[in-house]
Amino acid sequence: MLRICRLLPPVERHCITHRRMASSGTATGITRFDYLVIGGGSGGLASARRASEFGASAAVIESHKLGGTCVNVGCVPKKVMWNAAVHSEYLHDHSDYGFDIENVRFSWETLKAKRDAYVSHLNRIYRSNLDKAKIQTIQGQARFTSDPEPTVEVNGQKYTAPHILIATGGQPSVLSDAEVPGASLGITSDGFFELETLPKRSVVVGAGYIAVEMAGILSALGSQTSLIIRQTGVLRNFDSFISVNCTKELQNSGVDLWKNSQVKSVRKTNGRLEVTIVTKDPEKKNEEEKTRTIEDVDCLLWAIGRQPNTSSLNIGKTLDTDERGHIIVDEFQNTSRAGIYAVGDVCGKALLTPVAIAAGRKLAHRLFEGKKDSKLDYSSIPTVVFSHPPIGTVGLTEEEAVKSWGKENVKIYKTSFTPMYHALTSRKSQCIMKLVCVGKEEKVVGLHMQGLGCDEMLQGFSVAIKMGATKADFDNTVAIHPTSSEEFVTMR
């Protein structure tokens, strides 16, 4: 089919009419596409489908299941488990609202079966969407070759394109047995979704959002859970207001929090794990470290960070990477080699599914629709932590605002209260809210909250902040009563 492209610089093409099918170079044995995407996760799939809409012949290479981390071992199954954990919390409140419930039993097996079936359904939808868009799916591990033009090899077959996107995502970081004896006896967040039964005794290691979410889910569903953190609080990269409150809420919910602690060793005894912990308070320099043991552990879960999936790509010296292996890109997602791009977790910036999707689509618009300035704005990206209760945050922390604007130009508004839902319940949790404003006009540059419903409140406020809302704009908005969200427009 005839295909006409407007003349643009080498990396930008504006496709006007019909799609051209992939071609196979008989002399070279290389199959050619307009767009070759390595990684069938959220970012890669979104970019490939958008490019296809503009007439590009595209292919997606995936070594595992379509959907990537988010669909298979991340956001989606995690949210299912969090929903179940919330049900468990609400059970404690039913009698306070007049419901008499007895003999309530929870089946991890039933939940897992329904969750896994849902994930499989999503896998099929992704495959169907690719087929409908006439995007070729190539199953296997992509590896860059030494050919003069950017080329990858999958299962012995070579593929090339003028535009190749790397969207291979990341994976949980793990410790070796040399670093911590017996570390391999634990699992990661990937392994969490393989658990066939609810662990009676769990130990989670880490202070980031994945550790907080995993510990909260396990504890709420009935597992006796300990959380091991190296310092005194969780979520240290978040606003301190959130970090302090989330640490407190974890403890109030029944999670056994071990501060200033690290795992020294792990060993298996009688089918269960024995986890040895070393605790040392850096503020008490004269105090010796304490060594204690948590016994009869069914599940040790490492949540100590993530690393990029680049080791099998054979990028070698072809592309610039940072010290952790993340592919370095510019503001347009260009790597150090022309015609090769990267989006998502593999770049190590804003590790969130919607970020990868947005960046992938923006890239497709630039390459195949001719929008040469199309790029993702990485400022004021909203994010939610599905803790108990959930956290919502967008924009700068107070600490970041002070660093950028100076303390004298930063105005903070905050509040803490008990949500109306808990007026009748014996179980309590606080709702905290904070606005970070800068300049004489008090432009809102940061919004942070933790409490019931904060996960669903955030999106609308994020739009306002992205549009440059000021504190006066918030004040001029009529409150919705009775809600927790009204606090943001009534703060003084």
Side-chain angles (χ1 to χ4, degrees):
M1 289 182 288
L2 181 63
R3 187 162 171 271
I4 304 171
C5 295
R6 187 177 69 188
L7 292 177
L8 288 169
V11 296
E12 289 128 8
R13 300 186 302 166
H14 188 175
C15 301
I16 309 274
T17 54
H18 302 293
R19 183 195 321 277
R20 184 183 58 168
M21 303 305 290
S23 62
S24 179
T26 54
T28 60
I30 300 178
T31 301
R32 299 177 182 275
F33 295 90
D34 294 325
Y35 197 35
L36 190 57
V37 176
I38 305 171
S42 301
L45 292 173
S47 193
R49 291 184 65 194
R50 188 58 54 91
S52 177
E53 291 175 15
F54 300 135
S57 64
V60 171
I61 303 170
E62 174 55 50
S63 59
H64 298 293
K65 296 178 180 179
L66 290 175
T69 295
C70 177
V71 168
N72 295 292
V73 288
C75 332
V76 171
K78 180 273 302 289
K79 184 68 181 289
V80 170
M81 301 304 288
W82 182 80
N83 286 339
V86 170
H87 273 287
S88 179
E89 289 181 308
Y90 284 166
L91 284 173
H92 296 291
D93 306 331
H94 283 169
S95 59
D96 291 319
Y97 273 91
F99 290 90
D100 182 13
I101 55 169
E102 293 184 5
N103 301 320
V104 176
R105 289 179 290 180
F106 167 66
S107 170
W108 178 283
E109 295 78 7
T110 298
L111 175 62
K112 182 180 186 300
K114 293 178 75 68
R115 182 199 73 207
D116 291 352
Y118 175 52
V119 169
S120 295
H121 173 63
L122 294 178
N123 294 146
R124 291 190 295 271
I125 288 176
Y126 276 114
R127 181 55 189 261
S128 175
N129 287 339
L130 289 179
D131 292 342
K132 289 176 183 176
K134 294 182 170 53
I135 297 171
Q136 185 171 334
T137 305
I138 302 167
Q139 189 71 35
Q141 182 68 58
R143 182 178 175 83
F144 280 91
T145 68
S146 58
D147 290 79
E149 62 178 334
T151 303
V152 299
E153 185 176 76
V154 184
N155 301 325
Q157 173 63 46
K158 289 185 176 182
Y159 302 91
T160 190
H163 304 293
I164 298 178
L165 172 63
I166 300 173
T168 48
Q171 61 184 319
S173 299
V174 293
L175 293 174
S176 68
D177 288 339
E179 293 171 296
V180 174
S184 60
L185 294 170
I187 62 173
T188 65
S189 55
D190 288 0
F192 170 81
F193 297 107
E194 297 176 4
L195 293 173
E196 296 292 340
T197 58
L198 172 67
K200 291 182 179 179
R201 185 72 173 90
S202 301
V203 173
V204 179
V205 184
Y209 79 92
I210 295 176
V212 167
E213 291 177 339
M214 294 289 104
I217 290 169
L218 286 165
S219 177
L221 291 179
S223 178
Q224 183 184 350
T225 304
S226 297
L227 180 61
I228 315 301
I229 62 176
R230 289 185 297 175
Q231 298 185 36
T232 58
V234 298
L235 304 179
R236 295 187 301 273
N237 293 330
F238 286 65
D239 191 279
S240 58
F241 192 50
I242 295 296
S243 175
V244 170
N245 192 72
C246 185
T247 302
K248 182 183 71 176
E249 288 287 0
L250 276 167
Q251 292 175 290
N252 290 345
S253 69
V255 173
D256 176 32
L257 191 62
W258 292 53
K259 300 179 180 180
N260 299 311
S261 300
Q262 297 185 63
V263 176
K264 183 178 182 180
S265 64
V266 186
R267 70 187 187 102
K268 198 165 191 176
T269 58
N270 300 321
R272 291 185 173 180
L273 302 181
E274 185 179 89
V275 183
T276 301
I277 312 290
V278 173
T279 302
K280 178 72 167 71
D281 188 342
E283 300 296 322
K284 301 176 181 178
K285 296 183 179 179
N286 296 326
E287 185 179 280
E288 294 186 3
E289 64 180 25
K290 297 178 182 177
T291 301
R292 292 172 289 173
T293 299
I294 303 177
E295 299 179 339
D296 297 325
V297 174
D298 300 295
C299 173
L300 169 64
L301 195 156
W302 300 100
I304 53 175
R306 293 182 66 80
Q307 61 190 34
N309 283 327
T310 54
S311 59
S312 61
L313 290 175
N314 191 38
I315 55 177
K317 298 179 180 179
T318 303
L319 303 178
D320 291 342
T321 58
D322 65 15
E323 65 278 1
R324 296 189 61 195
H326 295 110
I327 297 174
I328 297 173
V329 296
D330 64 11
E331 59 185 337
F332 290 97
Q333 312 299 148
N334 296 312
T335 69
S336 55
R337 184 172 182 182
I340 301 180
Y341 319 89
V343 300
D345 290 10
V346 76
C347 304
K349 184 178 182 181
L351 312 185
L352 299 165
T353 294
V355 171
I357 291 172
R361 286 174 177 164
K362 291 283 188 182
L363 177 63
H365 281 278
R366 181 168 71 86
L367 298 179
F368 300 104
E369 198 192 13
K371 293 186 175 180
K372 63 180 182 179
D373 295 324
S374 178
K375 63 179 180 178
L376 178 63
D377 178 4
Y378 280 84
S379 66
S380 296
I381 293 173
T383 186
V384 163
V385 179
F386 288 99
S387 50
H388 299 267
I391 292 166
T393 178
V394 61
L396 301 181
T397 65
E398 179 180 351
E399 296 83 357
E400 290 169 340
V402 168
K403 185 176 180 180
S404 297
W405 295 79
K407 190 169 184 178
E408 67 280 5
N409 296 312
V410 176
K411 181 70 179 290
I412 302 299
Y413 297 88
K414 58 185 178 181
T415 186
S416 176
F417 58 93
T418 300
M420 185 176 172
Y421 171 83
H422 285 304
L424 304 186
T425 65
S426 56
R427 180 180 71 92
K428 305 290 184 184
S429 72
Q430 288 289 292
C431 184
I432 66 166
M433 294 177 167
K434 181 177 187 176
L435 290 177
V436 180
C437 306
V438 299
K440 291 181 180 179
E441 75 280 15
E442 293 194 346
K443 180 180 178 181
V444 182
V445 296
L447 182 149
H448 313 277
M449 54 182 163
Q450 181 175 19
L452 287 178
C454 286
D455 51 331
E456 295 291 350
M457 287 182 216
L458 183 64
Q459 192 75 72
F461 285 114
S462 299
V463 173
I465 290 173
K466 195 74 174 176
M467 294 176 69
T470 64
K471 178 65 167 62
D473 293 322
F474 275 57
D475 294 341
N476 288 331
T477 303
V478 175
I480 304 169
H481 183 74
T483 65
S484 292
S485 59
E486 68 180 302
E487 294 292 326
F488 273 125
V489 299
T490 58
M491 284 184 182
R492 300 186 65 183

